[in-house]
Amino acid sequence: MSAAYEDASRSGIGNRLQRLLPKLVLSPTFLAAVFFLYGFIVWTIWLSLTRSTLLPSNTWAGLAQYRYLFDNGIWWTSLINLGIFGVLYIGLSMAIGLFLAILLDQRIRGEAIFRVVYLYPMALSLIVTGVAWKWMLNPGLGVQQLVRDLGFTHFSFNWLINPQMAIYTLVIAAVWQSSGFVMALFLAGLRGVDDAVIKAAMIDGASLPRIYWSVVIPSLRPTFFSALILLTGLAIKSFDLIMAMTGGGPGFATYLPANFMYDFAFQRGQIAMGAASAVMMLIAVGLLVGPFILLESRRKSDV
Amino acid sequence: MRHFRIKHLAGAVALSCAFVAGNVMAEPTVSVLNWWTSGSESKAMGVLQEMLGKEGIKMVNDAVAGGGGANARTILKSRIVSGNVPGAAQIKGVSIQQWGRTGLLGNVNAVAESQHWNKLLDPVFLKLLKYNGNYVAVPFDNHRVNWMWMNPELMKKAGVAHMPTTWDELVSALKKFKAAGITPIAGGGNTWQVATEFGPVVLATGGPKFYDDAFVKLDTKALNSPTMIKAFKRLRVLQKYTDPNGVGRSWNHDTAMVANGQAAMQFMGDWAEGTLMVMHKTPGKDVLCAPFPGTNGSFIYNVDTMVFFKQGNAEARKAQDAMAKTVMSEKFQILFNKVKGSIPARLHTPMSSFNSCAQTSAKDFAQASKNHALVPSMSQNMSTYNATTGAIFDVLGQFYNSNMSAQTAADQLAKQVAVAKSQL
């Protein structure tokens, strides 16, 4: 009697343990994520509502820091720059990435080599490539000087030192870095398209561009979505490329919100204002990416 | 996998326990948070480490690279917030007072008294090192910011007979260099470099009293005055003669351009000497030095200091005292400053082993001190809080990289500084 009882209870504990074990194993990472991610988000929001300067303080300031932020000319410059940089960077990376992917999709010989060549920039740190691009785009050292040395003495390509154009030079380097990665995404998408559909279109007499335009590309919708989300995130948090290439200059012509945040929170000892700008960036990501995620998840649940 | 993770965790816990225990039991230790990571700088910190080691004091060199100290300051703040307070940290200028108000600073009064710091240091520095009458910091060096560096061979080539001593002479030299097909000025690639040029320009245009009103007292009237407008006009002249490709180029590259004959001159503090020495050039011979034209007899100083933080146990305080004492010793001040290109902060230190530029610097410092012509560097964060310095930099950056008028720049300067002050 007692032995049987013990058996039953042991197996009960065993069952419970088995059910609890995954949760137990996951709980440290879960707690860490809650604390280090969401905890610090909350702390940042709190800091943005205080008068923190050199060190975090808890003196309430209401929305004053946000008012300062939106009175600040550099913040507006950063936002406009982000608009220019973001649209061009995402658009060009997607267009070039898709184009490369379609070319590679033609089952050419040595595809693996091309794939590695195009993907390789993503493996390099932006700090490293940024410095290389800085030299290449510097009028006195790089492309301009090279072409002039070849005999075209009036050739001019001085975007990097022109406050109006410097932001575009950042786009060049950023697109160079990301388009190979976008290509890899699209190539995977393209390979997922059912051959039967393409063959059917071919039998109907459609040309190759027509097949891609009307059949293949529309079916890449999820890939477009992932690429867009990834690139949007990369654009908003762009920081290292700017530090390496222009340091935010000339003047503050190439500041992006992330540079603004770093500068005010850590260089200038205005932690609260830096936090306010960080919160604005978070809201921007939420506003841009949120609707996409909602839309996509609804589509999936509809299906 | 599961096993691995648990073992990992246990290991980490054990390690951190050992770390805490180690901290309590070891010999007197002082952790020094700084951003001196370049070859010569870390060598100089090595000298300090060695000298302290001989006295049985362990110095941990917590050097954090990059960002002109921003990274180190960030780490300092996070260490303080998490309760891991360093023994000393590189903080300078008026920020020392700002940190004093946090109540976190300790003092080295006993050492200062026994070594008679009040006689070893200029009154201007004493004021800087004290908070509420306590010595909270120790000075490592004394940099002069209002220097002009020039390549003598290019001077010969362009027919510039001697180092310009007035603004008009400077302009005529600039014209001669340009006419000879030589890039007159290297610099201006970053806003702080522009600010480093602008400080001496303001000093030359308005004199020490005006500089003090503008960049120390931050007087709105001085910031938006005819004198300031004139200074901006002069900065515009310098910009016109500067190599336009300097964007993102660092100051030591500019120094190298002057040394190699690619540009005629640079306006930069005496830390340029460090770069020249790395290139095996002799400051004062291969590259000439002179005070920025019109600032002869005045001295814009930039003093690197280490601030001491309150420590719980007596051993740690002992280590701080030993560090302060060693840093102020004649031997260390000579060794350190010869490497760094600066002059000793300690007065009456024998200068015979220094190069001629450093000797001039020491002589001019004594002279300027007598004449009340010592002013703190705006561009190196000596005279104003970082937020205000940032506001000044913003206006300078905008002015330098656009065709903004000098009048608008002075207007903006007064406005932006007032805004930055109100937000603190």
Side-chain angles (χ1 to χ4, degrees):
Chain A
M1 169 71 187
S2 78
Y5 175 78
E6 252 182 58
D7 255 15
S9 86
R10 191 181 296 151
S11 74
I13 290 169
N15 272 336
R16 282 224 334 253
L17 242 174
Q18 202 145 37
R19 262 187 293 125
L20 273 175
L21 198 61
K23 287 176 191 154
L24 271 174
V25 169
L26 277 178
S27 58
T29 42
F30 178 73
L31 286 177
V34 166
F35 183 73
F36 287 109
L37 216 67
Y38 301 99
F40 282 145
I41 288 176
V42 171
W43 197 38
T44 305
I45 295 172
W46 165 247
L47 279 179
S48 75
L49 301 171
T50 67
R51 293 199 63 91
S52 305
T53 52
L54 207 59
L55 286 173
S57 90
N58 286 328
T59 321
W60 176 257
L63 292 174
Q65 302 295 346
Y66 291 90
R67 217 173 47 238
Y68 296 152
L69 185 67
F70 284 101
D71 276 345
N72 193 313
I74 307 178
W75 173 246
W76 286 107
T77 308
S78 313
L79 286 185
I80 293 166
N81 281 343
L82 179 62
I84 298 172
F85 177 80
V87 168
L88 288 175
Y89 165 67
I90 295 170
L92 287 174
S93 294
M94 297 252 263
I96 294 173
L98 181 61
F99 182 65
L100 290 176
I102 290 174
L103 291 186
L104 267 191
D105 195 35
Q106 308 310 311
R107 313 270 168 193
I108 49 165
R109 200 182 297 174
E111 184 194 311
I113 294 168
F114 283 107
R115 238 179 10 211
V116 170
V117 167
Y118 289 133
L119 201 54
Y120 199 67
M122 197 71 184
L124 290 169
S125 150
L126 271 177
I127 284 287
V128 177
T129 57
V131 171
W133 276 103
K134 178 168 87 176
W135 297 126
M136 281 197 281
L137 295 169
N138 186 297
L141 298 158
V143 178
Q144 176 178 307
Q145 196 58 40
L146 183 79
V147 177
R148 284 188 181 183
D149 288 348
L150 289 175
F152 304 92
T153 45
H154 291 289
F155 176 80
S156 159
F157 181 61
N158 60 355
W159 285 9
L160 189 71
I161 60 166
N162 181 336
Q164 265 80 48
M165 301 304 286
I167 187 77
Y168 298 101
T169 63
L170 294 176
V171 174
I172 298 174
V175 167
W176 171 84
Q177 163 122 29
S178 298
S179 42
F181 165 67
V182 177
M183 174 210 74
L185 284 179
F186 277 125
L187 192 58
L190 287 173
R191 293 288 149 82
V193 176
D194 194 351
D195 269 356
V197 183
I198 298 172
K199 285 206 179 100
M202 276 175 162
I203 290 164
D204 285 347
S207 64
L208 200 61
R210 178 86 204 163
I211 293 173
Y212 271 102
W213 187 248
S214 309
V215 180
V216 180
I217 293 177
S219 68
L220 286 178
R221 200 191 144 94
T223 317
F224 271 104
F225 170 70
S226 335
L228 191 65
I229 297 268
L230 282 168
L231 291 173
T232 307
L234 284 176
I236 292 179
K237 65 176 194 179
S238 286
F239 174 80
D240 34 9
L241 183 69
I242 291 93
M243 292 309 273
M245 275 182 71
T246 60
F252 46 85
T254 51
Y255 260 60
L256 289 186
N259 300 89
F260 181 94
M261 194 283 288
Y262 177 77
D263 191 16
F264 277 77
F266 302 123
Q267 293 261 43
R268 303 192 182 189
Q270 290 176 273
I271 286 185
M273 193 157 148
S277 67
V279 172
M280 291 314 299
M281 281 159 69
L282 181 71
I283 291 173
V285 174
L287 285 180
L288 285 171
V289 178
F292 282 119
I293 293 176
L294 274 180
L295 207 76
E296 207 58 18
S297 62
R298 190 174 303 158
R299 269 171 56 89
K300 266 183 200 134
S301 61
D302 282 353
V303 175
Chain B
M1 185 67 199
R2 259 177 222 163
H3 272 293
F4 173 74
R5 219 191 243 166
I6 288 162
K7 240 175 26 196
H8 216 69
L9 194 74
V13 170
L15 209 80
S16 55
C17 286
F19 181 68
V20 170
N23 255 2
V24 175
M25 294 192 316
E27 74 246 73
T29 302
V30 57
S31 122
V32 184
L33 191 78
N34 63 83
W35 58 85
W36 283 332
T37 49
S38 81
S40 59
E41 289 168 344
S42 59
K43 206 170 104 191
M45 286 306 274
V47 170
L48 179 62
Q49 208 163 22
E50 202 188 298
M51 284 175 78
L52 282 172
K54 279 186 193 145
E55 296 179 42
I57 309 288
K58 188 179 165 202
M59 186 192 112
V60 182
N61 186 14
D62 284 325
V64 182
N71 298 351
R73 285 195 287 272
T74 308
I75 288 186
L76 173 64
K77 285 169 202 169
S78 57
R79 274 181 69 169
I80 286 169
V81 170
S82 69
N84 178 17
V85 182
Q90 194 175 357
I91 296 170
K92 67 178 186 180
V94 282
S95 292
I96 296 176
Q97 306 302 316
Q98 211 175 6
W99 278 95
R101 284 199 289 279
T102 63
L104 291 165
L105 301 189
N107 71 66
V108 287
N109 288 340
V111 176
E113 228 157 88
S114 74
Q115 273 183 320
H116 303 291
W117 286 15
N118 54 350
K119 281 183 200 139
L120 287 183
L121 293 165
D122 191 271
V124 169
F125 291 176
L126 287 179
K127 212 169 58 189
L128 208 67
L129 303 176
K130 280 187 190 173
Y131 177 74
N132 263 351
N134 293 317
Y135 286 96
V136 295
V138 61
F140 276 62
D141 54 27
N142 178 9
H143 280 289
R144 184 184 208 178
V145 184
N146 53 322
W147 271 127
M148 165 176 62
W149 307 92
M150 230 184 252
N151 184 309
E153 274 166 41
L154 294 182
M155 282 169 75
K156 231 180 275 160
K157 207 170 138 195
V160 177
H162 59 90
M163 295 289 274
T165 54
T166 63
W167 176 258
D168 292 334
E169 280 178 23
L170 175 65
V171 174
S172 100
L174 288 170
K175 280 184 186 147
K176 280 181 189 159
F177 283 124
K178 186 145 200 192
I182 299 163
T183 304
I185 307 171
N190 296 303
T191 307
W192 77 263
Q193 286 165 272
V194 175
T196 303
E197 291 178 357
F198 192 58
V201 169
V202 169
L203 181 63
T205 312
K209 168 80 174 62
F210 176 78
Y211 182 102
D212 195 68
D213 285 342
F215 291 146
V216 181
K217 299 199 180 81
L218 298 171
D219 176 40
T220 308
K221 266 198 214 122
L223 289 171
N224 190 1
S225 63
T227 312
M228 189 58 82
I229 293 169
K230 196 172 163 197
F232 271 111
K233 281 185 181 149
R234 287 179 166 185
L235 180 64
R236 180 66 82 210
V237 173
L238 295 186
Q239 182 226 346
K240 295 270 184 247
Y241 285 101
T242 301
D243 164 33
N245 301 329
V247 170
R249 193 166 62 207
S250 53
W251 64 271
N252 44 348
H253 194 121
D254 294 333
T255 310
M257 280 177 72
V258 175
N260 291 333
Q262 291 161 295
M265 66 182 97
Q266 182 189 22
F267 309 110
M268 186 49 65
D270 50 17
W271 47 90
E273 284 177 25
T275 303
L276 293 176
M277 285 184 270
V278 170
M279 295 176 73
H280 302 292
K281 305 267 180 187
T282 311
K285 196 172 131 246
D286 299 320
V287 173
L288 302 184
C289 59
F292 184 87
T295 66
N296 200 3
S298 316
F299 195 107
I300 302 183
Y301 61 84
N302 171 34
V303 180
D304 286 301
T305 43
M306 293 283 176
V307 161
F308 296 102
F309 283 89
K310 267 186 198 151
Q311 297 289 313
N313 66 68
E315 291 285 270
R317 282 197 295 274
K318 194 176 136 196
Q320 286 180 326
D321 281 348
M323 180 187 148
K325 199 174 154 198
T326 307
V327 169
M328 275 297 284
S329 71
E330 205 170 81
K331 186 182 165 201
F332 176 77
Q333 291 269 331
I334 291 176
L335 279 174
F336 183 83
N337 286 295
K338 264 167 69 180
V339 177
K340 199 145 187 287
S342 38
I343 60 172
R346 185 187 157 121
L347 297 174
H348 317 301
T349 308
M351 294 296 294
S352 52
S353 60
F354 283 78
N355 67 55
S356 64
C357 292
Q359 286 173 357
T360 310
S361 184
K363 228 167 47 214
D364 287 1
F365 181 82
Q367 192 65 34
S369 174
K370 258 187 234 149
N371 301 337
H372 304 284
L374 290 177
V375 288
S377 163
M378 173 273 290
S379 59
Q380 309 301 314
N381 290 313
M382 289 296 293
S383 69
T384 62
Y385 293 155
N386 288 328
T388 326
T389 314
I392 299 173
F393 276 28
D394 291 343
V395 177
L396 282 174
Q398 214 172 5
F399 174 78
Y400 196 85
N401 294 292
S402 69
N403 47 18
M404 185 191 268
S405 76
Q407 172 72 60
T408 317
D411 267 355
Q412 282 295 316
L413 189 66
K415 238 176 252 159
Q416 300 287 342
V417 167
V419 168
K421 268 162 71 186
S422 74
Q423 289 175 3
L424 280 175

